[in-house]
């Protein structure tokens, strides 16, 4: 079989650090395994446009491996070219770069390594909430500049204690964020999700479900987005919804950039309607140099906690999602059942309830 992997270039770092498994150089550690079974393994970072390796090789690929960090967008049109394609594996979590509805129609299975990096992301969410609420980035920039003016920072720095924090999406990551918020003595923890948590799980983290999205955001000092990107979440955080946020709320999005309207969020930060926005996911990746999220600032000069997409690709996470990808391939080659939690699209139907209420 032909296995095609779309990964990001790691260059010098990947040569020096073999645990950077999700790179073109280190190939998810799969080459020896795949070749020992007689499979062809093509690895590339070239993914966009008709002349890219992705578009050329997809025509006779049997198994496609992609990562959300350098997404190879598998559109309906590309699927029509991919006559042999049977399985798409996401090395990581989040398979929105695949047209899932088209995969259902064509009986192409979509699997991901569920859970592989959810702790990594939950930790990044905690860091992002704290750096916004405490006004960390401008404080650090001041130090690097050689300045020292405490009042300029403290005028927009707060405690997380006593604030209302809500997660949009209370699945693996959202729930772990609620768990990690426990010792901060927040005023209240809320969640918005069409799948209610079991009562025992709700009680464990003392979180209250709010069923209406506008009502939910209007109660939160901090909103963290932990839902997948699908037709029900694309662009859902836009000018209209932002009007229902508490004035000066903080927004953290490590789920997918396109859940937010980029211009609307940037305007809300610039006007101070949002006190800050942090996250690592962008509506286009790599983000163009002039993307409004790179330089947006609130009226007091802070409120930007953006990073490149790396929260789910720590070295610890890479070990887990590389191993998980291999297990999915082994199961497939040996005709063994897949872990049900890893199956997003099975043969001709959605197996996950996370990509829209069906
Ligand atoms: P999960 O499937 O365990 O949980 C997702 C939850 O979102 C589910 O409970 C689902 O019901 C809920 N949901 C779906 N649509 C919703 C909506 N419209 N409103 C509210 N809730 C909704 O997934 P997870 O492991 O928690 O991951 C969530 C997402 O985080 C992934 O799909 C991915 O996009 C993103 N992610 C990002 C990184 C990163 O590196 N930044 C890494 C891993 C995952």
């Amino acid at each position: 079989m032909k296995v095609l992997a779309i990964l990001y270039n790691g260059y010098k770092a990947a040569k020096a650090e073999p645990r950077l498994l999700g790179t073109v150089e280190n190939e998810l550690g799969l080459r020896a395994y795949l070749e020992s079974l007689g499979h062809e393994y093509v690895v590339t970072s070239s993914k966009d446009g008709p002349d890219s390796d992705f578009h050329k090789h997809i025509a006779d690929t049997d198994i496609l491996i992609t990562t959300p960090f350098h997404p190879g967008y598998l559109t309906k049109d590309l699927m029509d070219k991919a006559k042999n394609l049977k399985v798409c594996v996401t090395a990581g979590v989040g398979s929105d770069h695949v047209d899932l509805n088209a995969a259902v129609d064509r009986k192409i299975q979509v699997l991901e390594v569920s859970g592989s990096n959810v702790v990594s992301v939950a930790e990044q969410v905690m860091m992002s909430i704290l750096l916004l609420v405490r006004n960390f980035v401008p404080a650090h920039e001041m130090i690097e500049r050689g300045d020292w003016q405490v009042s300029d920072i403290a005028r927009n720095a707060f405690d997380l204690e006593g604030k209302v924090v809500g997660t949009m999406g209370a699945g693996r990551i959202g729930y772990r964020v609620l768990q990690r918020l426990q010792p901060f003595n927040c005023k209240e923890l809320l969640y918005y999700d069409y799948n209610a948590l079991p009562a025992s799980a709700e009680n464990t983290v003392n979180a209250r479900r709010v069923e209406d999205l506008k009502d939910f955001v209007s109660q939160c000092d901090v909103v963290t987005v932990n839902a997948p990107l699908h037709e029900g979440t694309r662009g859902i955080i836009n000018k209209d919804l932002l009007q229902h946020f508490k004035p000066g709320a903080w927004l953290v999005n490590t789920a997918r950039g396109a859940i937010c309207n980029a211009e609307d969020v940037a305007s809300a930060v610039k006007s101070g309607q949002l006190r800050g926005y942090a996250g690592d996911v962008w509506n286009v990746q790599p983000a163009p140099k002039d993307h409004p999220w790179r330089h947006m600032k609130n009226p007091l000069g802070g409120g930007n906690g953006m990073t490149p997409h790396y929260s789910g690709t720590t070295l610890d996470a890479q070990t887990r999602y590389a191993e998980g990808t291999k297990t999915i391939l082994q199961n497939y080659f040996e005709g063994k059942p897949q872990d049900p939690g890893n199956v997003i699209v099975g043969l001709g139907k959605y197996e996950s309830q996370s990509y829209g209420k069906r």
Side-chain angles (χ1 to χ4, degrees):
M1 286 198 186
K2 177 165 174 175
V3 182
L4 171 64
I6 311 296
L7 303 174
Y8 56 90
N9 291 312
Y11 301 116
K12 268 200 306 206
K15 291 199 179 111
E17 177 48 86
R19 290 174 297 174
L20 277 168
L21 285 163
T23 56
V24 167
E25 291 78 359
N26 297 327
E27 304 179 314
L28 289 165
L30 290 172
R31 182 167 295 282
Y33 166 68
L34 287 171
E35 289 183 350
S36 74
L37 296 176
H39 301 298
E40 183 189 357
Y41 188 33
V42 177
V43 180
T44 180
S45 65
S46 154
K47 68 181 182 76
D48 295 317
D51 295 329
S52 65
D53 290 346
F54 178 29
H55 288 219
K56 282 189 222 152
H57 282 288
I58 197 69
D60 61 348
T61 287
D62 296 279
I63 300 176
L64 173 68
I65 303 173
T66 50
T67 74
F69 310 103
H70 184 70
Y73 294 101
L74 186 62
T75 59
K76 203 168 163 176
D77 288 350
L78 270 191
M79 276 185 210
D80 287 336
K81 272 178 68 184
K83 299 291 180 214
N84 298 346
L85 188 63
K86 299 158 193 72
V87 183
C88 301
V89 184
T90 301
V93 173
S95 299
D96 49 276
H97 54 282
V98 176
D99 184 330
L100 297 174
N101 292 333
V104 169
D105 293 343
R106 287 159 184 74
K107 295 197 164 50
I108 295 171
Q109 296 184 65
V110 182
L111 296 130
E112 63 185 38
V113 192
S114 296
S116 57
N117 53 19
V118 295
V119 165
S120 322
V121 179
E123 289 185 3
Q124 178 106 3
V125 173
M126 291 306 304
M127 175 182 83
S128 304
I129 292 174
L130 286 167
L131 70 81
L132 286 182
V133 172
R134 305 201 57 87
N135 208 19
F136 173 82
V137 174
H140 180 71
E141 287 168 348
M142 174 182 282
I143 287 303
E144 286 202 351
R145 278 199 312 273
D147 294 343
W148 185 285
Q149 190 52 54
V150 174
S151 54
D152 283 353
I153 302 302
R155 71 193 299 206
N156 212 14
F158 297 83
D159 295 339
L160 183 55
E161 181 172 273
K163 303 296 181 291
V164 178
V165 183
T167 175
M168 179 184 156
R172 295 176 183 85
I173 296 172
Y175 192 72
R176 280 166 178 75
V177 170
L178 294 171
Q179 286 176 318
R180 280 156 180 74
L181 284 164
Q182 297 303 302
F184 285 91
N185 297 325
C186 294
K187 185 173 177 191
E188 200 176 14
L189 299 180
L190 306 177
Y191 75 98
Y192 170 81
D193 195 317
Y194 52 69
N195 287 314
L197 288 167
S200 60
E202 243 180 42
N203 291 338
T204 303
V205 293
N206 196 18
R208 178 167 64 86
R209 183 176 176 216
V210 181
E211 291 192 44
D212 177 80
L213 183 57
K214 289 178 183 153
D215 186 19
F216 165 75
V217 297
S218 72
Q219 297 181 53
C220 295
D221 297 298
V222 180
V223 174
T224 153
V225 185
N226 298 295
L229 175 64
H230 54 79
E231 56 267 44
T233 54
R234 186 177 293 277
I236 198 167
I237 301 186
N238 54 28
K239 204 156 84 184
D240 294 338
L241 188 65
L242 284 163
Q243 283 174 2
H244 296 271
F245 276 59
K246 270 192 191 175
W250 296 276
L251 176 58
V252 170
N253 175 16
T254 53
R256 284 293 176 265
I259 293 174
C260 294
N261 178 301
E263 297 292 344
D264 292 354
V265 162
S267 304
V269 171
K270 281 181 205 156
S271 72
Q273 188 191 357
L274 282 179
R275 206 179 291 273
Y277 181 86
D280 66 327
V281 284
W282 303 70
N283 56 334
V284 190
Q285 293 190 184
K289 281 201 172 7
D290 62 351
H291 194 289
W293 289 356
R294 285 186 185 263
H295 302 292
M296 65 188 172
K297 295 247 194 287
N298 66 28
L300 295 177
N304 185 331
M306 293 306 295
T307 69
H309 189 170
Y310 84 109
S311 67
T313 191
T314 57
L315 292 183
D316 301 300
Q318 296 198 35
T319 302
R320 292 189 295 262
Y321 67 65
E323 277 171 7
T325 301
K326 187 173 176 187
T327 304
I328 288 171
L329 295 176
Q330 274 169 335
N331 289 339
Y332 182 73
F333 294 141
E334 293 168 19
K336 290 187 186 156
Q338 299 289 353
D339 177 341
N342 286 345
V343 187
I344 305 302
V345 173
L347 276 177
K349 65 178 170 74
Y350 277 90
E351 296 290 350
S352 164
Q353 294 185 20
S354 291
Y355 285 82
K357 202 172 176 186
R358 293 188 169 77

